[in-house]
Amino acid sequence: MYYTEEDIDKHLSQPIFHLISGAADELGQESYVIGGFVRDIFLHRPSKDIDVVTVGSGIELAQHVAAKLGKKANLSVFKNFGTAQVKWHGLELEFVGARKESYNRNSRKPIVEDGTLEDDQQRRDFTINALALCINQDRYGELVDPFDGLSDLENLRIVTPLDPDITFSDDPLRMLRAVRFASQLGFFIDPDTFDAIIRNKQRIEIISQERIIDELNKIVMSPKPSVGFELLDKCGLLEIIFPELVALKGVETKEGIGHKENFAHTLMVLDRLSKTTDNLWLRWSAIFHDIAKPATKRFDNRLGWTFHNHNFVGMKMIPNIFRRMKLPMNEKMKYVQKMVDLHMRPIALVDEEVTDSAVRRLLFDAGDDIDDLMKLCEADITSKNPDKVRRFLKNFQLVREKLVQIEEKDRVRNFQPPVSGEEIMQTFGLPPSQPVGTLKEAIKNAILDGVIPNEYEAAVDFMNKKAEQMGLKKV
């Protein structure tokens, strides 16, 4: 059993619920806590988002509650939607009047009418989100569960309250929410419900990209994201919303030589990385790290299958995909590009002798993101040969130790050459020009290659010698 009566009593004993109860009784409005907060009581998950549905005006109840809470309550009213929100001491309380909905086929915006609690529960996406607890004093804590959602909670089942074809056609975002809950909670989608997703998958095209990416981000952040992506693939939604990821599927064999199944590999890397980080954009980097393998795949008679420059090509693909999917076109995108571009570098250091110069360059290029990059690279070791995995991880540990040693000694992470471009121009009487860039690049490379230490005097001495070779004279 998922819960005891004490679980309900414990949550509803909070003063905020008694205050809402009093406000509802004063207005004579039948009122319930409903949805995710109630579900999470039974799943023993913390939740600070509380949805209250009332038979009457949700806005009026919210205003009454805010008045009782006093100045520290922050009330927002959304008249067009008939809803209101009260923020108070870290809690977000959403108030809405019970309603029934009907839909036009070409829009997910419903035609809304006042309704009963039963009407409101019928319009919910899944039975586990239709659970309601009465908070009126005479029925305080009474569970209203017309679709046996409690049984579905106990059996880890995601199923719609009504005909799933109607539920998903009315609001196609619910198909993604089904997958998201399966991924987040470790539930399974009822077979009839899943078949309805397959039948209605094209309906997702009426949903805005912003809403889609919000659900995708929650799948990416779930404990085992591969569950969500595999379900999206099986029902056909992934092909519609992220075709580049589906393009990784399949293994081609030539002359008896096959290559790694890159879709399964990508999901394995994502799952492995998810055990070590809650950084959403690092997890997205795992999803994108091999995205260009289909575009760069070639068969070489001597080398077999190759994916030359897939890191560089993948980095170049990212802006267009981010733009289409409405992912942020800012420093977060640049971070993902950086991770994808650099993800082969530490592996290359493992394959060959780890030189100080190579480590300095990696530190310089990765900057403060070096630790994230190493996490991604370690997650990228998915060989079925345990000895190979152990060997690579051991070598990665050597790379990590070398990174620490070089950083302590040479301070090259995010460094700027000790001699600026302005000083070069002043020293040799040069305008902004190619020789200035050549000198500055030469100083940087000399430091990264260990020719000179990362110090001002050594850099100036090197600059003067290099300038003399270039035929430049001091002014």
Side-chain angles (χ1 to χ4, degrees):
M1 199 64 168
Y2 261 83
Y3 79 106
T4 63
E5 294 293 338
E6 287 75 20
D7 288 318
I8 295 176
D9 294 341
K10 176 185 169 186
H11 283 80
L12 292 191
S13 66
Q14 296 178 56
I16 186 65
F17 292 111
H18 287 288
L19 185 142
I20 299 170
S21 175
D25 284 345
E26 286 170 16
L27 294 174
Q29 292 184 192
E30 187 185 329
S31 298
Y32 302 84
V33 181
I34 197 167
F37 183 85
V38 181
R39 178 200 69 225
D40 288 345
I41 290 176
F42 303 137
L43 293 178
H44 304 288
R45 298 171 81 227
S47 179
K48 290 186 176 290
D49 297 337
I50 301 168
D51 292 337
V52 176
V53 65
T54 185
V55 182
S57 170
I59 292 175
E60 194 175 339
L61 178 57
Q63 290 169 332
H64 203 38
V65 167
K68 283 177 172 289
L69 288 171
K71 292 181 180 178
K72 290 188 178 179
N74 186 353
L75 172 68
S76 302
V77 173
F78 309 98
K79 283 188 178 177
N80 289 347
F81 299 98
T83 65
Q85 181 189 73
V86 176
K87 291 185 177 181
W88 181 77
H89 287 283
L91 294 175
E92 288 194 8
L93 307 161
E94 298 279 350
F95 294 85
V96 63
R99 58 195 186 184
K100 53 185 175 181
E101 298 176 343
S102 55
Y103 286 80
N104 180 303
R105 179 161 177 83
N106 296 317
S107 171
R108 70 173 296 270
K109 293 180 180 177
I111 300 163
V112 178
E113 303 173 66
D114 291 341
T116 63
L117 173 67
E118 184 182 3
D119 291 327
D120 203 272
Q121 288 174 302
Q122 286 180 352
R123 74 178 183 83
R124 299 278 160 172
D125 50 8
F126 310 113
T127 60
I128 61 174
N129 292 331
L131 299 162
L133 291 170
C134 186
I135 50 174
N136 295 99
Q137 200 55 49
D138 59 343
R139 294 170 54 209
Y140 198 79
E142 178 186 316
L143 178 66
V144 183
D145 180 18
F147 306 111
D148 207 13
L150 210 53
S151 173
D152 292 328
L153 275 178
E154 290 177 343
N155 292 296
L156 312 180
R157 182 170 57 226
I158 295 169
V159 60
T160 57
L162 302 178
D163 181 338
D165 282 300
I166 295 172
T167 298
F168 294 140
S169 180
D170 282 350
D171 184 355
L173 188 68
R174 291 167 175 163
M175 297 186 289
L176 273 179
R177 284 171 60 82
V179 172
R180 188 249 291 184
F181 283 124
S183 194
Q184 275 185 335
L185 302 177
F187 281 31
F188 75 93
I189 302 174
D190 172 80
D192 290 341
T193 300
F194 192 75
D195 287 345
I197 295 176
I198 295 171
R199 289 192 294 273
N200 289 276
K201 63 185 179 185
Q202 292 299 144
R203 294 281 290 152
I204 200 68
E205 292 172 353
I206 72 166
I207 301 296
S208 73
Q209 275 298 138
E210 289 83 358
R211 300 297 297 276
I212 289 171
I213 210 63
D214 185 51
E215 292 298 327
L216 266 186
N217 281 338
K218 290 172 182 175
I219 291 170
V220 172
M221 288 303 294
S222 59
K224 192 177 180 185
S226 64
V227 171
F229 282 101
E230 285 168 356
L231 286 171
L232 288 174
D233 180 49
K234 286 176 184 172
C235 70
L237 282 171
L238 194 61
E239 177 67 49
I240 299 169
I241 62 180
F242 198 174
E244 295 87 354
L245 191 59
V246 177
L248 292 172
K249 290 181 69 178
V251 175
E252 193 174 346
T253 302
K254 211 165 188 177
E255 298 181 16
I257 301 172
H259 57 77
K260 188 182 290 183
E261 214 286 346
N262 289 306
F263 181 74
H265 165 73
T266 294
L267 296 187
M268 195 182 302
V269 174
L270 177 59
D271 281 350
R272 285 169 56 87
L273 186 65
S274 298
K275 294 175 182 176
T276 64
T277 183
D278 288 329
N279 179 339
L280 172 64
W281 302 107
L282 185 52
R283 292 190 184 196
W284 270 110
S285 301
I287 294 167
F288 277 100
H289 83 285
D290 281 348
I291 204 73
K293 280 198 167 177
T296 57
K297 184 170 73 171
R298 303 287 184 273
F299 186 79
D300 183 287
N301 289 325
R302 186 170 54 87
L303 300 174
W305 292 104
T306 65
F307 304 91
H308 288 314
N309 286 330
H310 75 273
N311 55 317
F312 177 75
V313 176
M315 178 191 73
K316 294 294 186 184
M317 288 172 64
I318 286 169
N320 284 338
I321 300 173
F322 264 54
R323 190 175 293 109
R324 188 194 75 238
M325 293 177 71
K326 293 292 194 289
L327 284 159
M329 303 293 293
N330 56 18
E331 72 282 350
K332 289 165 183 169
M333 180 196 74
K334 290 176 182 174
Y335 168 89
V336 175
Q337 283 187 295
K338 183 181 186 179
M339 291 295 105
V340 171
D341 185 34
L342 296 178
H343 83 272
M344 301 295 292
R345 292 270 291 278
I347 293 171
L349 293 181
V350 166
D351 285 340
E352 57 198 47
E353 185 183 349
V354 183
T355 65
D356 285 6
S357 175
V359 174
R360 277 192 209 96
R361 289 188 173 277
L362 180 60
L363 264 171
F364 177 76
D365 291 336
D368 289 334
D369 300 318
I370 186 67
D371 295 329
D372 288 352
L373 179 64
M374 292 302 292
K375 284 181 182 177
L376 174 60
C377 292
E378 285 167 347
D380 198 15
I381 305 167
T382 61
S383 171
K384 292 177 182 177
N385 182 336
D387 290 335
K388 186 177 179 183
V389 171
R390 275 194 294 271
R391 188 173 72 253
F392 267 75
L393 288 175
K394 185 178 178 182
N395 287 340
F396 267 127
Q397 187 55 39
L398 293 174
V399 174
R400 281 184 176 275
E401 290 169 8
K402 198 82 169 174
L403 286 166
V404 172
Q405 291 167 9
I406 295 291
E407 175 61 15
E408 287 176 353
K409 181 161 66 83
D410 296 338
R411 308 182 312 282
V412 294
R413 186 187 299 204
N414 297 321
F415 93 102
Q416 290 295 320
V419 181
S420 68
E422 288 77 10
E423 184 172 352
I424 293 170
M425 288 188 284
Q426 288 174 4
T427 303
F428 300 103
L430 295 170
S433 56
Q434 186 176 348
V436 178
T438 300
L439 273 175
K440 193 173 180 185
E441 184 73 8
I443 295 168
K444 181 192 84 173
N445 288 332
I447 293 170
L448 292 177
D449 290 336
V451 175
I452 60 172
N454 184 17
E455 296 169 0
Y456 177 74
E457 289 180 4
V460 169
D461 188 48
F462 179 86
M463 173 188 73
N464 291 333
K465 290 175 182 174
K466 183 69 178 173
E468 188 176 342
Q469 293 171 6
M470 293 169 62
L472 300 174
K473 294 190 182 336
K474 290 184 181 180
V475 294

